[in-house]
Structures are given as structure tokens and as C-alpha cells.
Amino acid sequence: MQTKMILKRDGTTEEFCDDKVKNAIIKAYKASSIWYDDDVVLQMTHDVSESIQGDEVSVEAIQDLVEKALMKEEPEVAKKYIIYREWRNVERDKKTNMKQIMDGIVSIEKNDVNNENANMSANTPAGQMMNFASEVTKDYTSKYLLGKEYNRAHKNGDIHIHDLDYFPTKTTTCIQYDLEDLFNRGFRTKNGTIRTPQSIQSYATLATIVFQTNQNEQHGGQSIPAFDFFMAPGVLKSFRKHVVGHIEFIADLKNVSVDSKELKALVNDAVSSISLSDEETHKLTAQLQAIVPLSEEEVQTIMHNAYMKVEKDTHQAMEGFIHNLNTMHSRGGNQVVFSSINYGTDTSPEGRMVIRELLSATVEGLGRGETPVFPIQIFKVKDGISYTEADYEKAVKDFKAAMSGDIAFEAPNFDLLLQACETTATSLFPNFIFLDAPFNVNEAWDANDPRRYYYEVASMGCRTRVFENLHGDKTSFGRGNLSFTTINLPRLAIDAKLEAEETLPTAAKKEIQEFAVELFYNRLIEMVSFVGEQLKERYDYQRSALAKQFPFLMNNDVWKGGINLGPNDEIGDVINTGTLGIGFIGGHNAMVALFGEGHGSSQIAYDTLYKAIELMNDGVAALKEKYNLNYSVLATPAEGLSGRFTRIDKQKYGEISGVTDRDYYVNSFHVDVQEHISMFDKIKKEAPFHNLTGGGHITYVELDGEAKKNFVTILKIVKTMHDEHIGYGSINHPVDTCRECGYKGVIYSKCPVCESEDITRMRRITGYLTGDLETWNSAKRAEEHDRVKHGFGAN
């Protein structure tokens, strides 16, 4: 007969024993001061034992059976037993981690639960409710939805399954919008249908509404992959309205009656751009003669005035877009929408105006000049479109002339790249994505294709990359990440080193290191496979969601293919275009565990880490072939996780110098934040890892002092990133704002203008910004404190 096992409350198991059931029954009788018969107790014990089904039973299930047996034999004893169980449960719960967490939320402690998400106002009632729900749902997921081996690995700190609180909802992580499709068809919300917008103000406003509406149906961020292309038609529509209005005004002055419909039709047909050539203006004048007598000079004046008005409209629209995304709350916790926009390759006059005015509005900031946190802005650097080597040389040679517009450039949008660098120097955005990095190139991209943006890679602001696709076009449009799980690299390295030392106690240091590296590689391969299976299990669970659970995402074809589903249809294969990310953290710490040095200074450590990520890609390739799903390697954007792994490992292994002796693990493949390295060397060391992390990556450099005083430095950094094949990069520097007078710059203890000490210190956390360092969790605050500024070095 197979031995039955008891599953205890702490997750461990032990062999079932009849005596424990008998003792529980006897204690219940004694607590009730009721005499018991030994034979009756033995019979109840036998009945309980025989009632147990299966090979494993929980403590709670056994107690339920004891309760039933007592209720049948002695109801008074059973009642006392029930009351006792309830009391014990309450007392036990008071001592549990969950009770402590809830107490911390109630008392709004400054702890890592409340500060896990720097984008959430955790102290507000909505923020507290969000945290309550999050913690309880994580507990539910762990107990009832996760496979036991995955739950154990997550709790032990071998892996981290992200967004466990959203696991039961079956939702996906993020999405890249095909905004053109949404605008052309219109879209439905809960209370009605939104028509195609007819002005740049409406285009910008509806973009924020799309962001806000869908925020409630996914747990991650959202991105617009070609913001300039999508907004450009709105600029042209507003321009045509101004042209019609000016013509009608002049016609009225001349006492000429005009058929408005006929005039609008003529202008819509003849005015194809906000910048007409002389020939096009001449043709328009001739066509207008049939409606209202206007000279060519008058038409040119009309076009000029309409241009000035639409430029103002566009600026206000971009200003409103930024203000809305920084004030419009969505989802629980008073969170503003986690939004990103990609732009930079639309060379049309309308698209260029959108970029120009967006960047200008970003520099102006919010109401008192505060740096906007959202949207995360990403400028696309593309050879021949926004960058050429010759243009760079011209700009560096005479930067003042380049910035003032006195130099003619080959690339039509190089001037906008310069403006983007200037904006980054004052506002930390935009970040930069490099379309000509070999892994970002799309063979279907054609400079003459008016929809070429469809084939341009776009990024989520935090770094998530969705591009390659086993089930459709290679594009970022209409798809996103499904879920991701992160591997604890330092733990694999620590265990490998300890086993190598135990196995080879008398061996030379080099031999121990070589054996440890071999063990590290083998365990990493096993862990990639393990995580791949976990992601597949979650994917199968997500597939079972009904379309009606995501009315905006599916009904409006935001996630491509969703529009074909009925409300009660499972989403199934519709989401197979999404990605499953296998992430990693602590590359630096893992190398220190193996070699005593990080990959920023040790070549053998660098080569080892590089091969490790190559092996992860081999594992991902095997998973792709096995399941025909879009697995990818992700350089995890660790926020709360950065400290969680470290706390667990410090408790397990103690303090290991350079590994567990800080409050955080260094992000993904990044060189140690304390490494004294030039910005250009840091870029060169990290760039090769971008090719290995198709699920997302970012490289940043830390500048000291006020970048706004040295724009050319930003341009040089962008060039280096471009030349070294960085996929996605950003530039960090201090941006402090006085809350009293609005002064913005590097502020030490007091504002240099009004001497206020009420200062907002804006910093980048994992790709996005936060309004104040105080909202960061302890691990990320410790990491920010340790960040070494990167010198110039040799370029």
C-alpha cells in the first residue's frame, strides 16, 4: 500500500500518521470537558483515515474530515472544534507574511510593497486598493493556478514570474497600436462609437483616449510605433480647414457667394500638403477662379496664414497630448497611463511638424516647467532619413550653425535628430532606437513605400521589443508581449562555484573556475527549458480567455485578429503573434561569483557572460521549434525584482563580496553601476548583448553636470550607439526642478534662485522616468545612489 503524504501549510510534506488524527480528536474532547470512549475515538480515527482520497492530502482537508466525524458522533465537541480552528486560523494569520503586508499597506509604510511600482500613487485609497488586490491575487495565483514546481522556484528565488497578480485575468503584457487603422475605421468604447478625427487636436486627444481605455485591459505598457505618421493626416486636415476658412473670409469681403461644400471638396482635392510648390499653388489659384476670384499672391498669403495657424494648432495639440498623459489617471492606484511613442522617420511636412512641435512642447514641460514623465519618447535613427555620417561631420564642425538651421543636410530629418538631442539634454527624452542595427533591419522596408513605418521596429519605453514573428509579418504593429519570467543568474553562478569547490577541494583556482563555469552553463540551459515550459503553461491559460474579457483590445482589432472573434469565443490563436520573454538579471553579479570580477573589467568574465546569453538563445530556438511560439531572450527591466532576488540570496548564502553585499543585483547584462568606465567604452561593451536579447534591451550612459550646456555631447553619444549597433539607448543626467519657482537644472541642497529645499529629482529607473526618487523602492534607490557618472574617455 502506497504511503499517504500530508501537505503542510508551509508547503512541505511529511508521512501521514493515524496517531495525529487520534490526538486531534482527543484534544477536541478534552477542550470540551466531555468524556470520550477509546473505542469511539479509534473508530473515528479509522473512518477519517479511510476517507482520505489520493496519495497527498492537506492539513486543512484532514481537519475537515475530523470535523465531519465529530459532528456525526458528538456535535457539541464538533462545535468547539470548529470555533478552535477558526481562532487558530486567525492567530496563525496574524503571524503570516500576508498580514504584515496588509498592515504595511494600511499604515502606508514607506516599504518596497508600496513602492514596487514607481508609477503608482500607493498612498491614495485607490493605490491602497490596488496593492491589497495585488497581494491577495498573487497569493491566490501561487496556491491555485501555478504548477507546484514553478511556484516553488518562484518563491525560492530561482526565477521570478512577473505580474503574478494579473495571472488569473489571463491578460497580456503590452501592445503596439496600429493607430492609423483605429482612426480610419473609428473605434468602439463601452458607451459608444468614436468617429474618424478631423483635426490635429482630435487626433492627439483620441490617441490619449486609446491609451487610457486599453490600459484597463493589459497589465503592462502601451506604445504607438509611428506617432509622426499617424498624427500627420490630422495636421493636413486642420490645414485644409484653415485654408477654406481664409478663402471664405476673403470671399465675404469681396461679396462673393461661395458654396462651402464645393469649396471644401476642391481644397481637399487640390491641397495635398501644408507646403505646396509654386506649381501646385499656381494650379490651385486657377481652380479657385471658378469659385472666387483670387490672385496667386492672395492664395500664397492664404497658404502662409493657414500654415502659421496649423503650426500653432499642432503645438497646442502636442502640448495637450503631453499634459493629458501626465494627468489622466487610469487603472487602480491613480496610475497615469504607461505610454510610449516612437517617431522620427516621417519626412512629410506634416509629420515633421508633429515631431518639431512635440519636442518643443516637451522642453516647455508641464504647468510650471516640470519634466514630463510620459509619454516615453523614442526617436528612430535611420540612415538616409534622420542620419548620415556626412551630416554628423557637418554638425560637429559647426554645431552652432547646425542648431540654428544654417546648414543644409542630406538626411531630411537630421535637423530633427539635432532637436531630439537638444530635448534629451533638457528633458531626458527622447531615447533613441537604431533601425540600422543588423538585428533591427527589416528586409521588407522600402524608402519609397508610404507605409514603410509598418516595417520599422518600435520599442516599449521600458525596453520590451516585439518584432520577429513566426505567425505573421515581421512588425511591431498590433501585437505585444504575452508574459515574461526572469532567471536569477547570480544564484546559478553561486551554486556552481560552491559545488565546484566542494567537488575539487584541492584543485587549482583555474580548474575550479573552469568546472564552475561548465556547471553554470549546464544549469542555465536547464533553467531556460524550465522557464520555457512555465511560459507555455501560462500561454495555454491565457489562450482560454474569452474575447469579451478584452472588449477594446479585441473588438477594435487592437490586437490583430481579435476583431474576428465573437464575445464568447476563446482568444486562442489570435495571441500567438505575441512574445514569451525569458529574462535574466545580475550578469555582473554572476560573473563576480564565478571569477571575483565583473565583465566590465575582466575579459574572461565578459566572454563567459556572452556565451551564457548565447546559450539562452540556443534554448529559445529549441523552444520556438518545439512549440512554434515567439520565445525571446529579454534583458529584464528589473524594478522591484532587483532587490527581491538579492534579499533571498543574502539570506541563503550570506554576504558574498560583490555579489550579495548590496541591496540590488545589477540589471541584465549591464556593466556594474559602480564601474569607472567611459561612456563610449560602456556602449562598446554592452552593444554586442543587444543582438542576443531580441525580447528587449537598453543601454544607458550617466552624464555628470548639466547636459543642456553641451548638446554636442549628446549627438556624439548617439553616433557611438549608432556605430556600435546599439538597439535601444538612453542618456541619463540629473534633472532637478524647484517646486517653488520652477527653476530646472542641477540643484544640490537648495534652489539657486529662491533657495527652496522643495526639489523634485527626476531620474530614469528602468527606461522610464519618475517624478521623485522618493517613490522608488529601496533597492532601486540604492542602485541610483551607486551609479557612477561615465567620463568621456576616447571616442
Side-chain angles (χ1 to χ4, degrees), residues 368-572:
R368 301 192 67 177
E370 302 95 333
T371 300
V373 173
F374 290 108
I376 301 167
Q377 299 182 37
I378 305 161
F379 189 94
K380 297 179 180 179
V381 180
K382 174 65 182 172
D383 288 352
I385 299 293
S386 58
Y387 180 85
T388 69
E389 186 69 23
D391 288 337
Y392 171 80
E393 294 297 337
K394 289 180 187 178
V396 171
K397 187 175 181 180
D398 190 347
F399 199 70
K400 185 176 180 180
M403 294 301 297
S404 62
D406 295 334
I407 297 177
F409 297 115
E410 295 176 8
N413 283 0
F414 186 79
D415 60 328
L416 296 177
L417 174 61
L418 291 178
Q419 189 181 353
C421 290
E422 181 180 20
T423 305
T424 295
T426 61
S427 308
L428 286 166
F429 285 148
N431 299 339
F432 299 90
I433 191 167
F434 299 88
L435 304 190
D436 292 295
F439 47 88
N440 281 343
V441 172
N442 192 329
E443 298 74 13
W445 189 90
D446 183 350
N448 298 314
D449 182 357
R451 295 191 75 249
R452 61 182 179 272
Y453 53 83
Y454 181 76
Y455 302 104
E456 295 173 355
V457 67
S459 179
M460 302 297 302
C462 62
R463 80 188 63 186
T464 306
R465 178 180 178 274
V466 178
F467 199 36
E468 294 79 15
N469 189 8
L470 295 173
H471 299 283
D473 292 336
K474 183 179 179 180
T475 182
S476 298
F477 277 56
R479 48 196 294 251
N481 177 253
L482 297 171
S483 66
F484 63 100
T485 295
T486 294
I487 296 171
N488 184 346
L489 282 191
R491 172 170 291 193
L492 296 181
I494 294 169
D495 282 342
K497 183 66 177 295
L498 291 174
E499 184 174 335
E501 290 174 339
E502 185 178 341
T503 305
L504 306 171
T506 61
K509 179 180 178 182
K510 184 179 179 182
E511 186 179 354
I512 292 174
Q513 284 183 346
E514 289 175 349
F515 186 47
V517 168
E518 184 181 346
L519 291 172
F520 173 69
Y521 287 155
N522 291 337
R523 287 172 179 168
L524 179 59
I525 292 168
E526 292 172 0
M527 190 58 73
V528 168
S529 177
F530 179 77
V531 170
E533 297 298 328
Q534 179 267 312
L535 289 169
K536 175 62 164 56
E537 182 180 276
R538 186 170 186 174
Y539 167 75
D540 288 336
Y541 184 67
Q542 289 174 306
R543 284 173 53 90
S544 67
L546 304 181
K548 65 183 178 184
Q549 291 178 249
F550 316 113
F552 188 81
L553 189 68
M554 295 299 166
N555 291 352
N556 293 292
D557 214 32
V558 173
W559 194 291
K560 292 303 182 186
I563 199 170
N564 300 317
L565 299 173
N568 293 312
D569 290 341
E570 292 188 355
I571 58 177

Side-chain angles (χ1 to χ4, degrees), residues 745-769:
V746 177
I747 303 176
Y748 297 99
S749 58
K750 295 181 180 181
C751 173
V753 175
C754 70
E755 297 191 344
S756 170
E757 296 181 2
D758 190 8
I759 309 298
T760 296
R761 303 191 183 281
M762 184 76 70
R763 300 293 185 271
R764 195 186 312 274
I765 186 163
T766 63
Y768 69 97
L769 306 181

Side-chain angles (χ1 to χ4, degrees), residues 119 208 318-329 334-339 361-362 365-367 370-377 429 762 769-771:
N119 184 36
T208 64
M318 295 303 102
E319 189 176 54
F321 179 72
I322 291 171
H323 278 68
N324 282 337
L325 287 178
N326 283 277
T327 57
M328 195 165 60
H329 292 165
N334 289 355
Q335 293 185 73
V336 292
V337 179
F338 198 102
S339 52
T362 302
L366 302 179
E370 302 95 333
T371 300
V373 173
F374 290 108
I376 301 167
Q377 299 182 37
F429 285 148
M762 184 76 70
L769 306 181
T770 60

Side-chain angles (χ1 to χ4, degrees), residues 569-687:
D569 290 341
E570 292 188 355
I571 58 177
D573 286 345
V574 165
I575 62 170
N576 66 11
T577 57
T579 59
L580 298 168
I582 300 180
F584 64 96
I585 188 175
H588 162 76
N589 308 87
M591 295 306 100
V592 174
L594 291 172
F595 302 106
E597 295 181 273
H599 62 296
S601 55
S602 166
Q603 188 60 46
I604 188 173
Y606 186 93
D607 294 340
T608 300
L609 181 59
Y610 189 84
K611 183 177 178 180
I613 311 308
E614 282 187 316
L615 290 173
M616 289 187 70
N617 275 273
D618 292 342
V620 159
L623 288 164
K624 281 184 175 181
E625 184 174 355
K626 181 178 181 180
Y627 291 119
N628 196 29
L629 292 172
N630 292 307
Y631 284 92
S632 61
V633 178
L634 170 68
T636 295
E639 189 174 338
L641 173 58
S642 138
R644 176 179 179 262
F645 275 166
T646 316
R647 285 192 300 272
I648 296 173
D649 287 351
K650 189 178 295 186
Q651 185 175 14
K652 181 174 182 179
Y653 304 105
E655 284 201 2
I656 303 173
S657 178
V659 184
T660 62
D661 56 347
R662 303 184 205 168
D663 292 333
Y664 59 90
Y665 281 151
V666 177
N667 251 339
S668 59
F669 54 73
H670 288 178
V671 171
D672 183 15
V673 297
Q674 294 185 346
E675 187 86 29
H676 289 275
I677 186 173
S678 78
M679 62 182 74
F680 301 114
D681 286 340
K682 184 176 192 292
I683 291 168
K684 290 175 182 178
K685 281 188 177 292
E686 292 184 3

Side-chain angles (χ1 to χ4, degrees), residues 18 45 66 77 170 195 197 284 364 506 514 569 661 663 693:
D18 282 350
T45 301
V66 170
V77 175
K170 305 180 183 179
R195 295 190 298 272
L284 174 62
E364 290 172 6
T506 61
E514 289 175 349
D569 290 341
D661 56 347
D663 292 333
T693 46

